[in-house]
Amino acid sequence: MTQIESAIQDIFDQPLGNGEQRRIVFWMDKEQVFSEEVGRLSLQNVIVHTLTDRNQFQTKYMLEEADPSSCYLIYTDQELSVEDNWLADTVLYSKTFYADRVSLVLNNLQIDPVLRGTVKKYEKFFENKDRYRKFQAFDMENYTEQTIELAMMSALCNIKLPDFEAVLRTVLMDTLVDENNKYMEAMTKFFDVEVFWQHVEGQYGYERETKTLKTLFLHLAVTAFSHAADTAHLISVESFVAKNNRANCLVFIDHWMHHRSDSPVFDDYAEMAEQEIGLSSILQSIPIDQFKQAEVFPYIDRAILIYITNGLMENFEDYEEYTKLIKLRRSKHFYHQYASLYEALYYAVKMHEFRKETSRGIQQGSAIEVYRAYEEEYYKMDTYYRKFYVAFDEESNHELLKKLRESVEHLYTGWFIGELGARWTQAVSSEMTSDWSLPGVQAQQNFYSSVVSPHIRNGERAFVIISDAMRYEVGVELAKRLNTETMGTCSIDSMLSVVPSVTKLGMAALLPHRGLDMDEQGNVLVNGVSSAGIDNRKKIIEGTVSHSIAVKHPDITAMNKAGRRDMLKGKKLVYIYHDAIDAVGDNASTEQSTFQAADQAVNQLYELVKMLRDDVSGTNIYITSDHGFLYQRDALPESDKIEKASVETIEVKRRYMLSKESAEIPGQLAIDLSSVMKNEQQLTAYLPNGIIRNRIQGAGANFVHGGASLQEVVVPLLSFKNIRAGQKGARSIVKVDIKLTSTMRRITNSIFTLDFFQTEKVGDKTNARTVIVYMADEAGSVLSNEETIIGDRTFENPADRTFKLRFVLKSISYDRDKTYYLIMKDRETGVETERIAFSINLGIVSDFDF
């Protein structure tokens, strides 16, 4: 009664229409359900009167003559639509109220009474307060049978706005087993599940005599895939391809794939679906160019991975095509599942490509020529090999990677390091055994005097970061990152390390010193004192520059900003010792993680430079290494190991021997150390040719250093100069722009393509940008599939920085007079970068792209 009273009062409280002086409401209650309660109604400014079969004329007189101005509620069980009714004309200009549940729903929701039959059909739905509240919350203005049914399905699926796409996704997300699906059960109980299927058929072309959720998903997925493949190749699954509204199926699947929280369920279903339809067999007959853009099923990525791997195995040299394919797949939905495989494959392709470009082999030349060739080009092979194994270790049991690994090892250990080592050894043997130096190349032992000392003499502050075993190619990666992601400038050069290329000698060579030498036990002396350990190094540094300090990387990073500032306050020279690569590689139990340690080193050193720049205003920062390293994954064959020579030695390691004897030893370079240090002991370093190791008992032969290979003795020297905003030469870090270049702003087909352009190449201070692109209406509703552009191209030629994307519009009615928008959003920030107005005039909706 409270609800009824409120509903009646609302009717009387509504503003009067034109010409109305008062409001009369006839409450029809044929079953006299409320005859006893009507007298207890409490309505403001309303007279309640009961009409019977004996007082019609009296009521007529009361309303028309006795009291023509008061508002009346006339309660009656009479049939007032008959012609001989005294009040027929009064009823016509008054309002009618029904107190049954359907009438209350119509009244409360202000649904036109002509839809009474629709509401009556679903009366059971409205019996529940929670369902009623959800329906009411949609606050719809215009009711039709279709909008009521859509709102009911949306309420049953707990969706915030009436939207059949969301309804369908919610239903499918629960389970594809019909009898276990709670939403289908709710529709069966409180709705009409056949209406649901009618909507599915009307919007997605799903026409089957026996309808199930599983076959519906197959229908949606296969139809979406059919946009990427000629239907002639889909005969075995043609029953799952929609004849109508194919575009809606693609857009539905696309939206589900790109939904942040719902996509994992889709991924599981897609894997099930591809097995059900035998996708692997289907793809065998489809040219890869047809389905390379498709992303509905995960097996598409597996097929592409297999295609490229087989191409490499069969020596098809389509390396540019393979690289483009891999980069294309990065923007596709299932890429993340196969990212490690793609990454490993990419670097395997780059290694094969390098081999092709070096078709004449690694050429013999002078020592400086071979050195410069490594510094400028050959080092890339070390990077490719390292990056391959970082990715490989993520998926090391995958059969595809096992096949790739064989070819990678054949290229790297079977060709590259052997041939490069032979060319370099030959050059060193003829030019550098008596004088370990190269014209125009910085000697490691001159680092302090030529690089650091000028800053100290000029009263400037200098920071030196020494990363143990960071070889040249790792330094190149770090320099690129510092140049790209910080406002400072970072140049990279190289130094020729001392030999043996070991920590104790390399670290000593980088210290300020007047004299560098070894004693009879092989201990390294700087200015006549031991340089072993950070405490001794600290004393040596302080002996040269009073306001100086030496500190380990973990100690400085463990401090807070205030602690770092306090520790480094007033210090003119700061040496920071970092050990990520050597700590892992030089341990037989962890050496297999050497390449992961190199990645970690790059990250840690990048953060350290930022920390010095931001926390203590570090400006002149140098990053270098004591030595590089050799590492190969496979166990070394016995042929790569040699027995110890018959000379008396003071120290023997896998990659060097130190001896006072001077002799010619087969397979060994004999380097006179007098050009490296004072050499009062008259020591000779015997270094195995190429990548050969001395035969020593125990594990740990894969990661080595101490020898003279280019990987060991070419050490990086990074010079980072911090530039603050506003200073001369300062350049802000910006992302490239992605712009629409198509001039067409009128869409006439539901499938259409647009061209985009990356405005500048990615380089120093110009970073990549990834954008999401789609069509939307003025309210922001997404009307098309979403496409992704990864703008990370480094090409100078603008033509190589273009993108062509295909879009598919939902099959709905479009108003040619309305404005629609192409939306571009930065994926990292979610910020809208472009909103471009379009008109859509499809005429007859077409599923074909012209």
Side-chain angles (χ1 to χ4, degrees), residues 256-469:
W256 191 352
M257 279 195 300
H258 292 106
H259 194 282
R260 185 171 297 177
S261 58
D262 292 352
S263 59
V265 176
F266 171 82
D267 295 352
D268 292 340
Y269 289 174
E271 194 164 340
M272 171 278 297
E274 69 184 15
Q275 293 170 7
E276 287 280 342
I277 65 173
L279 183 65
S280 58
S281 299
I282 293 170
L283 290 185
Q284 288 177 11
S285 66
I286 305 178
I288 200 161
D289 272 350
Q290 276 195 29
F291 66 82
K292 67 182 181 183
Q293 293 279 4
E295 54 181 332
V296 178
F297 301 108
Y299 188 81
I300 294 167
D301 287 282
R302 295 202 290 277
I304 290 171
L305 288 163
I306 292 168
Y307 167 79
I308 298 174
T309 302
N310 287 340
L312 291 179
M313 297 299 101
E314 295 169 19
N315 295 317
F316 296 147
E317 298 181 342
D318 300 327
Y319 304 128
E320 185 177 358
E321 178 199 350
Y322 300 153
T323 302
K324 285 181 178 178
L325 258 178
I326 292 168
K327 290 187 174 182
L328 169 68
R329 297 307 299 179
R330 291 180 307 164
S331 63
K332 304 305 180 184
H333 174 67
F334 286 105
Y335 177 82
H336 69 282
Q337 284 191 19
Y338 303 99
S340 296
L341 295 175
Y342 274 118
E343 192 82 352
L345 186 56
Y346 174 79
Y347 287 108
V349 169
K350 297 302 287 183
M351 291 178 75
H352 280 271
E353 190 174 42
F354 180 95
R355 181 68 179 93
K356 181 183 179 182
E357 291 170 351
T358 320
S359 57
R360 293 174 55 207
I362 295 171
Q363 299 300 298
Q364 187 61 58
S366 65
I368 187 62
E369 287 172 339
V370 179
Y371 184 97
R372 292 299 187 198
Y374 179 80
E375 184 186 43
E376 294 167 10
E377 193 66 28
Y378 293 161
Y379 78 88
K380 294 176 184 176
M381 197 65 161
D382 291 323
T383 300
Y384 300 153
Y385 184 72
R386 172 169 64 90
K387 292 291 191 181
F388 170 83
Y389 270 108
V390 169
F392 174 87
D393 289 339
E394 295 287 328
E395 294 275 358
S396 57
N397 289 323
H398 201 286
E399 288 301 318
L400 182 145
L401 286 189
K402 289 178 181 177
K403 288 173 62 177
L404 273 180
R405 197 178 90 81
E406 292 177 14
S407 72
V408 163
E409 284 298 328
H410 174 73
L411 284 170
Y412 189 74
T413 61
W415 167 67
F416 175 70
I417 54 174
E419 193 164 308
L420 178 65
R423 301 291 179 267
W424 173 242
T425 297
Q426 187 174 341
V428 169
S429 178
S430 61
E431 300 178 42
M432 299 175 66
T433 54
S434 60
D435 181 9
W436 182 253
S437 65
L438 284 170
V441 176
Q442 175 82 29
Q444 188 180 38
Q445 59 268 40
N446 296 333
F447 164 73
Y448 181 82
S449 60
S450 61
V451 176
V452 181
S453 181
H455 289 294
I456 305 303
R457 289 198 303 269
N458 292 335
E460 297 171 346
R461 197 180 194 191
F463 294 82
V464 177
I465 302 169
I466 303 172
S467 182
D468 202 330

Side-chain angles (χ1 to χ4, degrees), residues 3 101 104-105 108-109 123-140 143 151-152 154-162:
Q3 186 181 1
R101 186 178 303 280
L104 287 174
V105 170
N108 284 353
L109 299 176
E123 188 172 359
K124 195 171 184 180
F125 171 91
F126 293 102
E127 287 177 357
N128 176 275
K129 279 192 269 186
D130 187 51
R131 292 194 296 269
Y132 181 89
R133 178 183 53 77
K134 290 176 183 176
F135 185 99
Q136 189 177 33
F138 294 141
D139 196 25
M140 294 187 293
Y143 289 100
M152 293 169 75
S154 300
L156 289 170
C157 291
N158 298 313
I159 295 165
K160 293 180 180 179
L161 293 171

Side-chain angles (χ1 to χ4, degrees), residues 218-235:
L218 294 175
H219 169 90
L220 293 165
V222 173
T223 301
F225 176 69
S226 72
H227 284 78
D230 192 314
T231 52
H233 298 296
L234 303 178
I235 294 173

